[in-house]
Structures are given as structure tokens and as C-alpha cells.
Amino acid sequence: MAASGCRGVRSILWKYGSCGKNFCVSRSKTVPQLPVRQICVSSSLWKKNLAAAGPQKFTQEFIDKQVEEFEVGKRHLANMMGEDPETFTQEDIDRSIAYLFPSGLFEKRARPVMKHPDEIFPKQTAIQWDAEGRPFHFLFYTGRQSYYSLLHDVYEKILAIERHQDKMRNKGLFTSETKQILLTGSRWLLKEEIEEYLVENISDHDYVRLIQLMEKLLSMPYCSLEEEFILKFRKQLEAQSSKHEIPALQYDPQGVAFSVADGRRKTAKASITLRDSGSGNITINGRNYLHCFPLLQDREQLMFPLHFVGMLGRFDIEGSVEGSGHSAQAGALRLAISRALLSFVSEGEVERIRQAGLLTADPRIRERKKPGQEGARKKFTWKKR
Amino acid sequence: MLVFFLFCFLYKSRLSLQYDHEKISERHTGQYYTLPAAHIQKLFPHGLPPRFQLQIKTFNEGCVMVRPPALELISYLKKADYSKPPLRYILYGDVGTGKTMCLSHALHYCYTQGWLIVHISDAHLWVKNCKELLPSSSRPSRFDQPIQASQWLKNFKITNERFLSKVQLGYVWTKRERTEKGQPLGELVDQGVNRMKSSSDVVGAVLRELRLQAGGATEGEGAFKLAVAVDGLNALWGKTSLKKEDRTMCEPEELTLIHNVRKMMKNNWSGGAILTALSQTGSLFKPQSAYLPSELLGEEGFDNMEPFVPVSVSNYNEKEFESCYLYYLDRNWLQHSHSRSEEGKKELIFLSNKNPSILERLCAFL
């Protein structure tokens, strides 16, 4: 085909050959006389086998360059937004990016992001051997050098404490009542967090071994010497109840205390006013709650927060609800009542209410119907052929 | 402690308060009094709410709570002048607050005083779910309901047995059949019960006769006072769910029974009282939130019934709730141990909002 094509070209050029011989293309020499068969090749041959290559490696210079570019870009961004480049924090960056590149995507991780390269590029270990191929670390050939070196460190500390103990015994100053490390309100780092710290993958068994060794360290009397080291591997737990916003207690002109709160459940929105020194009347959308919720189950939902706290006949509730169905409205009202109750109740009670699950907003929402299916989960009738 | 005393007081008073209506007064509100079984059988073959009938069967006695609306009604009845046209009393209130029970209480009073009772237990039953609708034999544009009419006549007979031989009448009411003058009412009623086809006309005749004779004789054997009690009054002026043969909707006036009862409602006779109660539960085409007379009766009904004495019935107040709760405890109806505690009582108050019918349904499974 190529040969015929060439002949075609030559024939055309022959016609116009009188125009100028310098147009003549000397292709005939390069093209072989043998017929060339075109081989059809699929694109998978020249695509890289990504899975086999492993995670992408970034060199240290590349990362440094990215960091530089990030800093410069941060200053540019600050200038664009008209703010001071010196005091431009990560929150400001996020805000500006959201403003400059508004995205309608639902997945937050798919939206445009500008963060420090350390947060974007995964942490990688540097080259661990020198130019001659000799590894730097003595435990390199174990395959998991950082994990085993950590175990070694911990064991060394155990030995050090034992030596300290012997010294104290020799001096006669040994006491078992020494300062203990406070461990309440914190937990051991999880396996994923340890992996992140060591930049290495460890198995469940390894993790358990590590925790056992740390516990052994903690069991010794003089472990307070290594407190700093141990606390590096413990994470503080925040008290969840401090996160809840307690609505402010307001007062009527008559001196009656009341609080206002909202609640939501599955498209139903409720907002109520809880008044003190009442007699247990509940008015919803201007009607008695017996008319609004003829079903016993809904009224039980309304009763639950008040009954749990033990203040059934004390409050007057007046509220409005809209949207969704009766069950969702009852759930929304229940959440609103629990939130309003927080301001009438002590701290310990708030924690109890939270643990009862009265303050958690129910995240269940109607699932989307998918194309190719009858509903959210139901499929069309399956026919074998 | 207080609860214990109250309980003892209630218990004792429940036994001692028989049915002496002379002695019952305002200070007995909240207490239960027993309806004698014989009276229940006679007076209320069809009148009591079905759940109350179940309760009578379970507890082996019928106990009614004395409540302010009923007392008010009875006091009016005591003071009324019976030489003048009858007063019309309408009991109205929310769903499940006890209108039918108050009506029954007042009716029991009338019965013990020796009145003649005309009691339509539920007018709604006459405007819906009728299997047979016959064109009237006497008038061409009306429709008869033989089954309902004969049923009602049977009940009327049971209630007012002692009067049936006393009342005299004479009436021509069909081209073919006639009753001679001077025959007792009982025969007319029997005729209506036996011959289903003309039972609706018999009902009309009975009502007409009673109207004429109620205020007639002031002394002597023929004297009686007439109590007309209608439950579900709004059915008389509302819509029906019955269809004529050509598939158009039937109007209430076209039904003989309804027409006759409407005539009774007018106060152009004397010597009695008209006690009625509205009802949303059986009503057709009315929203559930409607409970006021103007809403349920409609314009036409309201104009017809005016002037009337409205008596409102509401949920239990604290004392009445307490009494009902203790009654259930006394009869061992509340089996659950938690329901005996204070906490349980508060829960019951909350869940039922002191509505009698809802409280009853709630306690049924406790």
C-alpha cells in the first residue's frame, strides 16, 4: 500500500514536475520495495502497567520544588484576594479557593484544593543505602527497619528503668509508690496512626506486640522517667459533650424561663419553645398534639426526652413543624426538645442525654433511585435469557 | 397517703352511690356510680359506645363517671318548665371526650324519672352503609330503610315497654292499612316490626303521635314526659353516602327516617326535652379537626337547631383523671407494675393528654 501510495505521489509530481524540480520528493530511495503490512496494535501495549510499578516515587528535590511553588503561590493568592501575605493561613487559602473556583461537586474530596505538599504527597522514605549499596540502618535487612528499631528503643528503655531500679534498691531508696503517668482521657494510637508515624506497613500481630511492650514499660514502678516518650504514642480523647451547643436560657417578661431550639429529621424541620413552670401542654402548629399525632408511637417519641430527664409535667411546649411525614416530624420534634432541654439540665445530665442518643441527628435520608433499577435497591425482573 | 385516702373515699362512694339522682350533686364530680344491670339491658340495648359495652362485659358492671357536663344537663332538666316548648341541648366537644357517655347519663336520669325515651343511638348509621333502599310506599319522592327502621322499633319497644299499652292513638297511614282510633301504641310498633316494608312509615307515625300526646294530658294515666335523644346529630343535616338507583347521591331529606327525626327536632310541641350530641367520628365528609356545632351541623342544621343550649364536654381534669386511674387500679385493669407508680401515672397523663377514650385504649393493653 505504501508503494502504491508512493507511485501515486510520483505520478502527481510528474504532472507538476514542470513547476519546479526542487518539489520532487526523493522518497523512492527510503521506501523499500517489499510490501509493508500494517500491524494493528491495541492501546494496552503502550499503556504503562500501573499496578506493577507500585506507588509513584517523588524525589526529595521534586518535593522541595513543590513546597517552594506552594509558598510563592500562597503569596500570589493573598495578593489577589487583597489580604496580607504574611498572615495568610490555611483557612484563608481554603476560603479563597472556594471563592475563586466554585464547584458543584458533591464529593468534597473532588473539589479544587490548595494545600501544603506535605499533606498532598504521601510520606516516603528516602533512599536508605549509600552510593555503594550498603544500607545505613543496621536493621535494614529485616524489611521493616523503623518498626524493629522502635521495638529496640522501647526495650532499651525498659532495661534502663530496671538499672535505675537496681540502683535505687542498692541505695535503699526503692519505693513502689512513685509518680504514675495519667492515662485517663487518652488512648493508644491506632494501627493506621502508627503506620503513618513509621512510614511503613505493619501487620495486626506487630501492632499487638508493640502495644504489649508499651504496657510492660508502663507496668514498671519508675516508668514516669519515660513519660514523654510514652505520651508520644497516646492520643487525647476530647469529651464529646463539650461539642454540643447549649441554647441560651431566656426569660419572659413574667420571669418564666424558656429556651428555643430546632431539630431536623429527613426533610422535616421543627422549631420549639420550651417554657418552664407549665403543666405539660403541648401545642404544635396551633393544634393540640393529640390531633397532630393520633398514633401512640409518635407521642411516645415526644415523651422520651422529658421522661428520660424526669421532668414530664413541668414544661409547656409550643412548636411548629413542616415537611415529610408524621414519623419524621415526631423525630424532628424529639431532637428539638432534647436540645432545648440542655439549658435546663446540669452538666452530668447533658452527658447522659448524649449517651442516650437523644442529641444525635439521625443521618438517614431517602436513598436516590438509580437508573437501570426500579427503585433505590429493587432491580427489574431478572430474566435468564 | 393522700392518694390512699382519696382511693378509699372513691371506693366507698362507688358502692354507696347507687343511682339516686336526687342526691348526686357537684361535689360528686369525678366519682363513679353503678348503672344497675337491669336498667342497662332495658334502656341501652343499642345506646352505649361499643368499647364501653366491652368494658361492662369485662368488669361485670357498668360504671359511669359523674362529670360536670352531665350534671349541668340534669340540672337544666330538673328546672325546665314542661308546659312550654322543649329545650334543645347540644353536647359538643373534641373526639373522645365523653359526649355519648354524658348523654347516656342524662338519659338514665330521665328513665329513672319515668319519662318516655326516644333514643337514636347513632344517626350516622342511617345515612351510610344501607343495604336496602326502597322507594317509599306513602310518598313517591322519599326512600325507606326497612332494616334500620325495624331495628329501631325493636329497641324502642324494649326501652318503653310500660308505655306501650297506655298510649292511645288513631291513625291512617297507608291507603291499604289503617289503625283504628283507641288502639295502644304497642300494636302499632308490633305492626312495624313484623311488616318490614312499612316500618319507616310506622316510625314516622310513632314519633308524630308521641309529639301530639306528650304535652297533652297534664295529669292522669296518659301523662308522660318525652325525652328525645339523638347521638350524631350532624348526620341529619350532612351528606349521605347512599346512592339512588340512577347513581345520583341521596340527600338526607329524601330519607323517611331522617325527615321524621328532623320534624321531632323542631320545638313545636311541649312536654319534654331534646338532648343531642354531635359526633365527628361517624360523620361523612367532615375534617377531623371540626368539633364545634357550627362546623359539624353546617349552616342549614345550625339554623334549624337554633336556639339551643350548648354544653361543652372536654378532656378529664386532674381530679377526674385521678378517679379514672384509681378505678382501673381497683378493677385490676392496669396489670403492669410500672403503671402503679407515680412515674407511670405521669406517662399516662402525657400519652393520653387526659382524653378519656385514648386513656381507655392505652390502659387496655397495660
Side-chain angles (χ1 to χ4, degrees):
Chain A
M1 200 174 88
S4 57
C6 179
R7 261 184 261 128
V9 165
R10 250 195 289 160
S11 57
I12 291 170
L13 285 173
W14 198 251
K15 281 182 198 165
Y16 299 110
S18 54
C19 307
K21 285 206 181 147
N22 47 357
F23 283 163
C24 192
V25 178
S26 55
R27 273 175 83 178
S28 49
K29 291 176 191 169
T30 48
V31 170
Q33 294 302 316
L34 293 167
V36 172
R37 202 181 292 126
Q38 195 149 19
I39 304 168
C40 293
V41 161
S42 69
S43 55
S44 59
L45 255 194
W46 59 68
K47 262 199 201 159
K48 283 193 279 184
N49 192 353
L50 292 167
Q56 200 179 9
K57 303 262 188 254
F58 304 106
T59 51
Q60 192 54 39
E61 300 117 24
F62 175 77
I63 302 258
D64 290 337
K65 195 162 142 255
Q66 294 295 317
V67 172
E68 242 183 76
E69 281 185 9
F70 174 76
E71 295 298 329
V72 168
K74 197 165 103 169
R75 298 185 76 90
H76 275 305
L77 188 59
N79 280 329
M80 265 199 278
M81 298 301 287
E83 298 197 24
D84 184 16
E86 304 299 325
T87 57
F88 206 56
T89 57
Q90 185 58 44
E91 281 165 12
D92 297 326
I93 297 179
D94 292 332
R95 210 175 13 92
S96 327
I97 294 288
Y99 170 72
L100 290 170
F101 301 97
S103 159
L105 297 173
F106 288 118
E107 178 68 60
K108 301 259 162 81
R109 290 176 291 183
R111 292 181 185 174
V113 126
M114 181 170 165
K115 286 207 157 50
H116 193 87
D118 282 342
E119 289 168 42
I120 297 182
F121 296 103
K123 270 205 250 177
Q124 286 167 341
T125 50
I127 305 277
Q128 280 147 12
W129 49 85
D130 54 16
E132 291 165 3
R134 283 206 197 96
F136 296 126
H137 202 282
F138 72 103
L139 287 173
F140 175 75
Y141 287 111
T142 58
R144 288 175 292 190
Q145 62 181 45
S146 4
Y147 170 70
Y148 284 111
S149 72
L150 178 61
L151 287 186
H152 269 276
D153 289 337
V154 175
Y155 194 65
E156 258 193 50
K157 293 193 194 298
I158 291 178
L159 291 175
I161 290 179
E162 275 180 4
R163 266 180 257 132
H164 181 78
Q165 263 180 21
D166 292 335
K167 253 197 278 179
M168 300 300 269
R169 268 207 202 95
N170 289 339
K171 286 189 202 166
L173 295 168
F174 178 78
T175 43
S176 33
E177 288 102 32
T178 46
K179 182 181 147 217
Q180 294 295 320
I181 307 178
L182 280 171
L183 293 174
T184 52
S186 62
R187 60 167 173 84
W188 288 117
L189 287 186
L190 295 173
K191 179 167 161 272
E192 285 77 21
E193 289 162 348
I194 299 259
E195 279 184 358
E196 211 186 291
Y197 174 76
L198 297 175
V199 197
E200 243 176 28
N201 289 336
I202 53 175
S203 71
D204 289 330
H205 181 69
D206 299 334
Y207 175 67
V208 164
R209 284 243 0 150
L210 174 64
I211 298 295
Q212 275 172 356
L213 203 59
M214 301 291 259
E215 297 278 334
K216 184 174 175 200
L217 180 61
L218 279 175
S219 67
M220 312 182 84
Y222 285 97
C223 54
S224 48
L225 297 170
E226 304 300 339
E227 190 174 334
E228 210 187 285
F229 177 74
I230 292 175
L231 286 179
K232 252 199 298 180
F233 291 93
R234 283 198 78 99
K235 190 165 176 189
Q236 286 295 109
L237 296 164
E238 298 165 33
Q240 293 279 337
S241 53
S242 56
K243 285 193 197 154
H244 286 291
E245 211 185 73
I246 303 178
L249 198 63
Q250 297 158 55
Y251 287 90
D252 244 354
Q254 281 89 26
V256 174
F258 72 95
S259 68
V260 180
D262 293 327
R264 263 203 281 191
R265 164 101 212 265
K266 218 201 212 187
T267 336
K269 291 190 197 135
S271 113
I272 59 147
T273 320
L274 199 71
R275 258 174 245 277
D276 206 348
S277 62
S279 53
N281 298 335
I282 305 190
T283 320
I284 299 178
N285 287 345
R287 293 155 62 200
N288 200 8
Y289 69 116
L290 261 190
H291 291 294
C292 293
F293 298 118
L295 202 56
L296 184 67
Q297 176 192 329
D298 298 335
R299 274 177 278 141
E300 279 183 348
Q301 289 283 300
L302 287 187
M303 187 176 82
F304 181 29
L306 298 170
H307 177 247
F308 188 77
V309 181
M311 302 180 181
L312 262 181
R314 189 173 140 188
F315 295 104
D316 264 348
I317 303 179
E318 138 197 345
S320 63
V321 142
E322 54 179 6
S324 219
H326 64 96
S327 201
Q329 284 183 349
L333 279 169
R334 184 183 106 169
L335 185 59
I337 293 176
S338 332
R339 284 193 185 151
L341 267 183
L342 291 180
S343 47
F344 286 99
V345 124
S346 62
E347 277 288 329
E349 280 292 304
V350 167
E351 184 59 31
R352 252 188 86 215
I353 293 178
R354 184 192 70 82
Q355 282 177 352
L358 279 166
L359 296 174
T360 349
D362 203 327
R364 295 180 287 181
I365 290 193
R366 193 166 155 240
E367 205 175 300
R368 186 206 142 179
K369 177 203 175 304
K370 285 108 192 168
Q373 286 177 4
E374 190 71 58
R377 298 282 172 105
K378 179 169 173 169
K379 321 272 185 279
F380 290 121
T381 326
W382 181 72
K383 296 222 165 70
K384 199 162 182 182
R385 48 187 70 83
Chain B
M1 270 298 261
L2 187 67
V3 169
F4 182 67
F5 275 127
L6 194 63
F7 175 70
C8 288
F9 175 60
L10 284 171
Y11 190 71
K12 270 192 261 180
S13 50
R14 190 164 67 76
L15 293 179
S16 60
L17 261 190
Q18 288 296 308
Y19 40 96
D20 200 349
H21 286 278
E22 302 300 318
K23 289 202 192 135
I24 296 179
S25 61
E26 265 93 45
R27 58 185 188 80
H28 292 122
T29 28
Q31 291 175 20
Y32 277 84
Y33 82 98
T34 332
L35 284 172
H39 283 198
I40 298 178
Q41 232 180 356
K42 282 227 151 163
L43 176 57
F44 296 121
H46 56 164
L48 297 169
R51 283 199 82 94
F52 186 66
Q53 280 171 0
L54 284 172
Q55 191 177 318
I56 295 177
K57 206 165 142 190
T58 320
F59 292 166
N60 241 351
E61 62 178 11
C63 277
V64 177
M65 194 199 276
V66 174
R67 292 185 73 191
L71 285 174
E72 203 184 316
L73 206 51
I74 293 177
S75 68
Y76 291 154
L77 288 172
K78 282 185 192 166
K79 292 179 206 160
D81 186 0
Y82 291 107
S83 53
K84 301 224 181 86
L87 282 171
R88 292 183 280 213
Y89 308 95
I90 296 191
L91 283 163
Y92 71 97
D94 232 342
V95 170
T97 43
K99 302 182 280 292
T100 313
M101 292 303 290
C102 283
L103 188 67
S104 314
H105 183 161
L107 220 55
H108 187 243
Y109 165 76
C110 298
Y111 184 74
T112 49
Q113 302 293 311
W115 294 31
L116 196 146
I117 311 275
V118 170
H119 181 40
I120 298 167
S121 60
D122 196 358
H124 289 300
L125 294 172
W126 289 356
V127 298
K128 53 182 181 174
N129 299 339
C130 182
K131 299 259 167 60
E132 283 180 23
L133 200 64
L134 302 173
S136 170
S137 38
S138 50
R139 277 175 197 74
S141 63
R142 295 238 200 98
F143 290 91
D144 271 359
Q145 288 156 299
I147 312 172
Q148 274 89 351
S150 57
Q151 183 69 38
W152 185 80
L153 282 170
K154 276 188 212 143
N155 291 329
F156 178 75
K157 199 166 138 185
I158 299 172
T159 315
N160 301 306
E161 228 157 330
R162 46 196 170 148
F163 287 106
L164 291 178
S165 47
K166 291 186 195 163
V167 177
Q168 310 290 324
L169 57 96
Y171 190 34
V172 175
W173 39 271
T174 36
K175 294 168 206 157
R176 275 174 251 150
E177 289 138 0
R178 53 158 65 199
T179 323
E180 301 306 319
K181 199 162 179 139
Q183 286 213 332
L185 189 63
E187 279 221 18
L188 187 60
V189 174
D190 285 327
Q191 205 168 11
V193 170
N194 294 331
R195 286 184 212 161
M196 299 262 272
K197 214 171 154 194
S198 43
S199 45
S200 319
D201 289 325
V202 169
V203 169
V206 162
L207 292 176
R208 187 159 169 270
E209 272 310 309
L210 293 171
R211 256 203 322 265
L212 289 173
Q213 301 214 351
T218 41
E219 286 163 17
E221 263 197 33
F224 63 88
K225 288 195 221 148
L226 185 60
V228 181
V230 183
D231 204 349
L233 184 68
N234 40 327
L236 300 180
W237 286 283
K239 293 189 205 168
T240 60
S241 71
L242 303 173
K243 286 192 186 155
K244 296 186 269 206
E245 268 151 16
D246 52 352
R247 300 242 210 109
T248 52
M249 291 303 273
C250 208
E251 294 296 313
E253 316 57 72
E254 292 179 13
L255 294 167
T256 334
L257 288 172
I258 307 288
H259 183 82
N260 289 320
V261 177
R262 277 201 202 175
K263 278 200 271 185
M264 283 299 272
M265 292 290 117
K266 288 188 209 156
N267 48 359
N268 47 8
W269 47 283
S270 63
I274 303 180
L275 317 158
T276 61
L278 299 175
S279 170
Q280 195 281 329
T281 21
S283 70
L284 294 161
F285 309 109
K286 290 282 175 197
Q288 213 189 20
S289 51
Y291 72 95
L292 295 168
S294 52
E295 289 167 354
L296 279 175
L297 285 174
E299 263 190 49
E300 203 194 325
F302 200 80
D303 291 331
N304 270 318
M305 287 301 285
E306 254 210 322
F308 61 85
V309 178
V311 181
S312 103
V313 186
S314 59
N315 289 334
Y316 285 154
N317 59 23
E318 306 265 339
K319 194 170 156 206
E320 288 171 343
F321 179 84
E322 186 76 43
S323 157
C324 184
Y325 176 71
L326 288 170
Y327 175 64
Y328 285 141
L329 274 182
D330 174 48
R331 307 300 299 162
N332 283 332
W333 192 230
L334 295 171
Q335 293 276 313
H336 202 276
S337 49
H338 187 59
S339 53
R340 289 172 215 265
S341 61
E342 267 304 306
E343 285 293 320
K345 203 167 124 196
K346 279 194 197 166
E347 281 181 42
L348 284 173
I349 296 180
F350 188 99
L351 285 176
S352 62
N353 201 22
K354 298 189 215 137
N355 183 299
S357 79
I358 295 204
L359 178 64
E360 199 263 313
R361 269 161 228 263
L362 197 53
C363 296
F365 55 82
L366 283 178

